[in-house]
Amino acid sequence: MVQVNIPTTSEAAVKQCIENIERWNPHINAIVTLDAETALEAARRADALTQSGRASGLLHGVPILVKDNIDTAGLRTTYASGFFKDHVPDRDATVVRRLREAGAIILGKVTLHEFAFGVRSNNPVIGQCRNPWNPARIPGGSSGGSGAAIAAGMAPLALGTDTGGSVRVPASLNGVCGLRPTVGRVSNHGCMPVSATHDTIGPLARTVPELARLFSVMAGFDPHDHVSERQEVGNLLVDMHAGIKGLRIGIPSNHYFDGVDSEVAYAVQEAMRVLESLGAIMVPITVDGAQTAHAYATTMIYSDACAVHEERLAQPDERWLPATLERMQMGLQYTGRDYARALRAREAWCRSLEDVFSSVDVILSPTSPTVAPPIEDGRSLFEATRAVTQNTYAGAFGKLPGLSVPCGFSSDGMPIGLMLEAAPWREATLFRAGVAYQNQTDWHLRQPALPA
């Protein structure tokens, strides 16, 4: 089982993470680059500050793993691509700088799907990442390494990125918590983009309070990021334990529960009963436009990705994984007229969501309609990604914050995730609901039985 001893010092915490990485990474392949000695030195400095009665910030001495498409100064950042396998940035991404300023200790870099463009978390640099609950299953993606590493006890915190579900899906499939912030809430400066109008860096952790703590450090305006917005963050930790009596939770009658596996549907329904017992009010809703949001989001995301990788797509070579290249080249079919129609559809979708959130505080659904599928399932990368992102693409298209928390397990022992989405800038509402739910359940405390 994953080591769960609570460390008493930062050095002990870092050593425990390194031990878990060395023991279990051969089985799940989540770590691209481990910076053990630097992390241990930073931990000793943090402990010295602690002993002198000082602390460097909200994450003082806490080890964290960073997704390998986010720049880290002096530490290899490959973007999960053969084109960048030896790339070492000379400066930190804004979010990494903020973590360091808050006292966090960067352990290393975690894997992702090539160029963050797929759900299997496979890439030419280190190969296939595997789900710690069953190594024959995918960990989700593109932040599969982040989700798998948290589940395996390789760090208490990790950074991922979410374009159409790439934080929430790995959180769900690995049995951990993940937050997609509102677009513009967290700076993307220093992160390899997929789609600038959809991308956002998000935190993963085992519990919602840990997520909130990390998010509090990450969030805030950055003039270097043209998508960043000047929105007051406030103290998100104050009301996190205030309960959810009177919270209006919308239960969609269309789209979100279509084709959902029976065990997933049952687990989510049980989670609804828990929330209702805590005083939340379940409100049946119809979310107009949800069925078409995925298709329009695909038009924009794929087109944007093709623009980012235009030169690499013009003359593709063996540095691409064939499956990723095939999926991304699908974006070349879209025209400017298609993109314009998608923009108009997005405006209409956001207006529809405004109407929904005038009557409810939160939309509830399964994060993914299925548990983690097998790595070798015979489907194309496009088909596999679309299947598990049925519900996550719509929220991304609407710029919504979304929280995934563990809510059960299938009969074959695979985690199931519950997704809660709120109106833009309402992450605090999601934290309050997530904390209330986790205070009544223990799904987030379950741990995979990894090989000794």
Side-chain angles (χ1 to χ4, degrees):
M1 294 288 287
V2 171
Q3 175 61 261
V4 294
N5 293 335
I6 299 174
T8 56
T9 65
S10 178
E11 183 177 5
V14 170
K15 284 182 175 178
Q16 180 176 300
C17 292
I18 293 171
E19 179 183 335
N20 288 348
I21 289 169
E22 291 174 345
R23 182 179 300 172
W24 291 309
N25 195 56
H27 300 286
I28 65 173
N29 200 33
I31 305 298
V32 181
T33 304
L34 175 62
D35 197 16
E37 287 306 314
T38 303
L40 284 168
E41 290 173 6
R44 294 180 188 117
R45 289 195 299 271
D47 288 337
L49 285 172
T50 301
Q51 291 171 4
S52 65
R54 294 177 292 164
S56 49
L58 194 60
L59 299 177
H60 177 77
V62 179
I64 186 168
L65 289 163
V66 176
K67 187 175 177 180
D68 203 31
N69 61 341
I70 302 171
D71 288 348
T72 43
L75 185 61
R76 186 173 68 140
T77 302
T78 73
Y79 312 130
S81 165
F83 292 91
F84 297 95
K85 63 181 181 179
D86 298 315
H87 172 61
V88 179
D90 60 5
R91 64 184 63 188
D92 285 331
T94 296
V95 69
V96 173
R97 174 178 57 79
R98 288 176 176 172
L99 295 182
R100 294 193 200 274
E101 290 173 351
I105 295 172
I106 309 300
L107 273 173
K109 309 303 286 290
V110 277
T111 194
L112 60 146
H113 199 95
E114 183 179 23
F115 284 132
F117 204 71
V119 77
R120 290 195 173 113
S121 290
N122 187 19
N123 67 65
V125 180
I126 68 167
Q128 177 67 55
C129 181
R130 297 176 179 274
N131 194 304
W133 294 92
N134 182 341
R137 307 286 188 100
I138 68 169
S142 63
S143 308
S146 303
I150 295 295
M154 294 180 178
L157 305 174
L159 292 187
T161 62
D162 192 310
T163 301
S166 291
V167 164
R168 293 159 292 161
V169 169
S172 176
L173 302 192
N174 290 283
V176 300
C177 299
L179 175 77
R180 172 193 169 82
T182 306
V183 172
R185 177 70 98 176
V186 174
S187 173
N188 292 326
H189 181 67
C191 179
M192 169 69 81
V194 176
S195 170
T197 60
H198 288 76
D199 294 346
T200 180
I201 299 173
L204 294 95
R206 191 170 292 280
T207 70
V208 175
E210 289 174 301
L211 273 190
R213 190 176 170 199
L214 176 52
F215 175 74
S216 295
V217 170
M218 298 165 58
F221 177 71
D222 178 13
H224 299 293
D225 176 11
H226 69 276
V227 179
S228 182
E229 295 199 29
R230 295 182 185 274
Q231 286 284 336
E232 183 67 30
V233 178
N235 189 340
L236 299 169
L237 309 182
V238 172
D239 297 324
M240 195 166 45
H241 299 277
I244 56 171
K245 185 176 181 180
L247 188 76
R248 301 167 300 169
I249 298 181
I251 310 301
S253 61
N254 64 311
H255 178 71
Y256 292 87
F257 288 85
D258 293 350
V260 171
D261 288 354
S262 59
E263 291 184 314
V264 173
Y266 175 79
V268 171
Q269 288 163 2
E270 288 297 301
M272 289 164 52
R273 281 189 268 274
V274 171
L275 294 167
E276 194 168 26
S277 74
L278 297 171
I281 302 166
M282 301 298 144
V283 182
I285 58 172
T286 299
V287 189
D288 294 331
Q291 291 92 333
T292 57
H294 200 300
Y296 284 120
T298 297
T299 298
M300 293 185 69
I301 291 170
Y302 281 46
S303 297
D304 287 342
C306 285
V308 171
H309 300 287
E310 183 175 9
E311 293 183 10
R312 287 177 282 275
L313 290 170
Q315 293 183 317
D317 58 34
E318 71 285 349
R319 286 175 288 183
W320 282 96
L321 283 183
T324 310
L325 178 61
E326 178 187 35
R327 182 181 178 228
M328 192 174 290
Q329 285 177 325
M330 294 174 67
L332 299 174
Q333 68 182 305
Y334 297 118
T335 67
R337 292 184 298 276
D338 295 328
Y339 201 92
R341 280 189 285 268
L343 282 171
R344 301 292 82 75
R346 193 179 202 186
E347 292 163 357
W349 173 235
C350 289
R351 184 61 56 86
S352 292
L353 290 171
E354 288 177 9
D355 293 340
V356 170
F357 286 115
S358 69
S359 60
V360 299
D361 303 299
V362 170
I363 299 173
L364 179 150
S365 72
T367 307
S368 173
T370 70
V371 296
I375 292 170
E376 304 294 340
D377 65 1
R379 292 182 294 181
S380 70
L381 181 60
F382 172 80
E383 294 168 330
T385 302
R386 187 178 181 88
V388 297
T389 60
Q390 169 181 305
N391 292 343
T392 57
Y393 254 56
F397 194 52
K399 305 181 184 181
L400 303 182
L403 172 69
S404 181
V405 295
C407 70
F409 285 83
S410 64
S411 57
D412 58 358
M414 298 306 295
I416 296 169
L418 168 73
M419 185 166 69
L420 303 170
E421 295 179 296
W425 319 113
R426 299 291 176 84
E427 288 89 356
T429 299
L430 299 179
F431 292 145
R432 189 157 53 91
V435 167
Y437 178 73
Q438 288 195 321
N439 283 343
Q440 298 296 315
T441 59
D442 67 353
W443 303 115
H444 59 291
L445 302 178
R446 310 285 178 96
Q447 296 159 341
L450 290 161

